[in-house]
Amino acid sequence: MKFKRKSAPPSLSSKLRIGGVLAFVFLGSALGAVAQTLTLSLKTAPPNAAIRVAGTGFGTKEAVDIYFDTTDELLGITNASGALPGYTLTIPAMAAPGTHWITAVGRKSGNAAQTSVGVHTPWPEHGFGKPDKGLNPTENQIAASNVGQLDIGWRARLAGRSDAQPSVAGGTVFVQADDGRIYAFNATTGGAHLWTYKTGGTDAVGTPAVSGGIVYFGTTDSNMYALNANTGALIWKTATAGAIYSSPIVVGGLVYFGSFDGSVYALKASTGAVLWTYATGSAVYGSPAYSNGTLFIASQDSNLYALNATTGTKLWSYTFGGVGNASPAIVGNLVICGSDDGIVHAIDTQTGTERWSYTANAPIGGSPAIANGKVFAATTDDNIYALDFGSGASKWTATLDTPLVGALTTANGVVYGTNASGLVAFDANSGTKLLELPVGGSPRGGATISDGTIFMIAGTNVDTLVALQVNAGNSQVVKRNDQAPQVARLRPNFKLTPAP
């Protein structure tokens, strides 16, 4: 038997904020009027994320179709009170960045409610985030098939040079520069300037970390800063005894980073209070990586350290044949790191013993990236290597005219790097060069991928934040419609069975 949808009764539509989520509420007729509500467990989420959908005001023991935009994704059943208990809806893997709509419609009563969800693929800190693979796993707009169509969408001017890699969170791009400032730009409206905060530092190479509405970053004035990500207002700053080039990471309410005073720091993210420090034998330049309660960080004393992330206690150390400036990355039970000895090292995260190594022809500068079963590493002799992350066997090598600078990054089957020519992109599977795009001036930091946009820094004496997008500037490109779908036009999928 098929359910017939009744036309929704004449109603007034209003807005109601429930549980922090803006829901469209449809008010029933005067006869026993009951408001239909719809709430989500998350206001924003990336593709493939699972969110909980709940609602009230539907018919008793009624089948309710739950739509993502116009596609019927789930069939729920209300309880004796007409409430829709929490059902898990998975954001479609190919959902484009921007506003989407969740709609619930009762098959018998016709009662309906809608609420919006923002789909975004942020890049909130160095290496994208734990475990610092340099991989954005949910980026779905730029692929090998269209990366060659990237062009400059917009630029935003800085007041100085920058060797930093941008971070992106909450629709905002954050970047540091050597004028001692951190800048915040709107990521979606042509790079409109939002705010700037001046520190006492000069040089800037770190990627800010954004967590819980706070942006964390260090500078050469030896301080780690925490600012309100929306306003740029100072929340706290904590001094170390040396310049900070290390990009911070935020895990479980703690901020981790290294300092040129030779120590690794763990601060409380809310107050900046020092929880613990660990002294290495030399300056700490690179960013830490985190996995399963352990912090991994390289020092210029040629060692990679594994520290208990809660106490700072040393678990083990591994000695390179050269200075360790690059930040490590983690895959499974391996921590991957390169050094000035020209070797990519894969070390067991539990024991600190080397599982495999690959000898390149020159020092390894930037952080590696890991995806598609491969480790990607760049050397100062203009090469990029793809290695099997299980064995270290070479998969392919690509050679450029000038060396890559900054960290390698990857998303959706494409590996990105920056060199004197601009942005370069390779097919992650074959090593085929897909793009070499001049962006004006020489880039010095790595590329960041978020919401179908590549963000990078380029320039000469004064730098700009550059945003690259597919078919940028093409007036023929039709923008996605992000308006709420009309409930009356939604069509149920009668093949669906009730979700558990």
Side-chain angles (χ1 to χ4, degrees):
M1 173 180 177
K2 293 185 178 180
F3 290 94
K4 293 184 178 180
R5 175 182 300 164
K6 295 182 178 180
S7 301
S11 63
L12 298 175
S13 177
S14 63
K15 293 181 180 180
L16 180 66
R17 190 171 295 274
I18 302 174
V21 178
L22 183 64
F24 278 80
V25 181
F26 293 84
L27 304 180
S29 64
L31 297 175
V34 177
Q36 288 79 55
T37 69
L38 195 63
T39 59
L40 307 178
S41 59
L42 296 171
K43 292 188 292 184
T44 62
N48 284 323
I51 61 174
R52 296 288 285 177
V53 181
T56 61
F58 298 91
T60 299
K61 300 291 184 178
E62 178 180 29
V64 177
D65 291 285
I66 302 173
Y67 297 80
F68 183 87
D69 290 334
T70 59
T71 301
D72 194 356
E73 297 282 358
L74 287 174
L75 183 64
I77 303 294
T78 62
N79 59 24
S81 300
L84 189 69
Y87 283 92
T88 299
L89 173 70
T90 300
I91 302 292
M94 294 307 296
T99 300
H100 293 263
W101 292 88
I102 310 297
T103 306
V105 184
R107 285 191 177 180
K108 182 178 181 180
S109 67
N111 292 347
Q114 287 181 317
T115 188
S116 63
V117 60
V119 175
H120 296 287
T121 60
W123 190 290
E125 62 185 29
H126 179 273
F128 178 80
K130 285 64 63 182
D132 301 274
K133 293 181 181 180
L135 163 71
N136 189 331
T138 56
E139 165 59 35
N140 59 18
Q141 298 299 293
I142 309 173
S145 60
N146 64 358
V147 68
Q149 300 168 32
L150 284 174
D151 204 348
I152 297 174
W154 51 262
R155 296 178 183 271
R157 185 180 176 87
L158 308 178
R161 291 168 60 91
S162 177
D163 294 324
Q165 182 179 359
S167 55
V168 186
T172 302
V173 187
F174 303 91
V175 66
Q176 294 177 249
D178 64 7
D179 60 353
R181 292 177 170 88
I182 181 171
Y183 295 80
F185 300 97
N186 190 301
T188 59
T189 58
H193 177 257
L194 301 176
W195 54 258
T196 301
Y197 182 88
K198 178 72 169 69
T199 74
T202 54
D203 204 0
V205 297
T207 302
V210 189
S211 178
I214 301 175
V215 55
Y216 304 89
F217 65 100
T219 76
T220 53
D221 69 2
S222 303
N223 285 296
M224 178 59 60
Y225 290 84
L227 308 181
N228 182 297
N230 292 321
T231 65
L234 177 67
I235 298 174
W236 55 256
K237 68 177 180 177
T238 298
T240 71
I244 301 174
Y245 291 91
S246 175
S247 301
I249 63 171
V250 184
V251 188
L254 298 180
V255 183
Y256 300 100
F257 62 95
S259 169
F260 257 44
D261 64 10
S263 291
V264 182
Y265 286 79
L267 310 182
K268 292 190 68 173
S270 57
T271 64
V274 178
L275 180 64
W276 57 256
T277 64
Y278 178 85
T280 73
S282 187
V284 180
Y285 185 90
S287 179
Y290 173 93
S291 179
N292 295 324
T294 302
L295 195 73
F296 303 91
I297 192 164
S299 169
Q300 292 191 343
D301 67 359
S302 300
N303 284 294
L304 175 70
Y305 292 90
L307 308 176
N308 182 296
T310 302
T311 64
T313 303
K314 175 183 170 181
L315 303 176
W316 53 257
S317 63
Y318 176 88
T319 302
F320 300 122
V323 174
N325 282 327
S327 303
I330 300 169
V331 56
N333 61 350
L334 295 180
V335 54
I336 312 292
C337 196
S339 79
D340 285 354
D341 62 6
I343 300 175
V344 180
H345 303 267
I347 301 159
D348 189 288
T349 57
Q350 298 297 314
T351 65
T353 57
E354 185 175 87
R355 295 274 294 276
W356 58 257
S357 65
Y358 181 87
T359 301
N361 297 321
I364 297 161
S367 305
I370 302 174
N372 298 75
K374 302 177 186 67
V375 173
F376 305 99
T379 56
T380 58
D381 66 348
D382 308 350
N383 286 310
I384 177 172
Y385 297 86
L387 312 173
D388 181 272
F389 70 52
S391 66
S394 176
K395 291 296 186 179
W396 53 259
T397 303
T399 302
L400 297 172
D401 296 330
T402 57
L404 295 172
V405 296
L408 292 176
T409 52
T410 182
N412 206 18
V414 181
V415 181
Y416 299 92
T418 56
N419 66 0
S421 298
L423 179 74
V424 290
F426 303 89
D427 187 293
N429 292 317
S430 66
T432 302
K433 186 166 70 174
L434 303 172
L435 174 72
E436 190 161 357
L437 177 66
V439 294
S442 298
R444 284 175 297 280
T448 294
I449 309 105
S450 174
D451 282 358
T453 302
I454 306 290
F455 298 96
M456 58 188 295
I457 304 297
T460 50
N461 295 325
V462 176
D463 286 350
T464 59
L465 171 66
V466 182
L468 306 174
Q469 297 160 332
V470 173
N471 292 320
N474 184 351
S475 60
Q476 301 303 311
V477 176
V478 178
K479 293 186 177 180
R480 188 181 66 84
N481 179 12
D482 61 1
Q483 298 300 308
Q486 296 182 32
V487 173
R489 296 193 174 189
L490 296 176
R491 295 293 177 262
N493 178 3
F494 292 110
K495 293 181 180 181
L496 290 176
T497 58

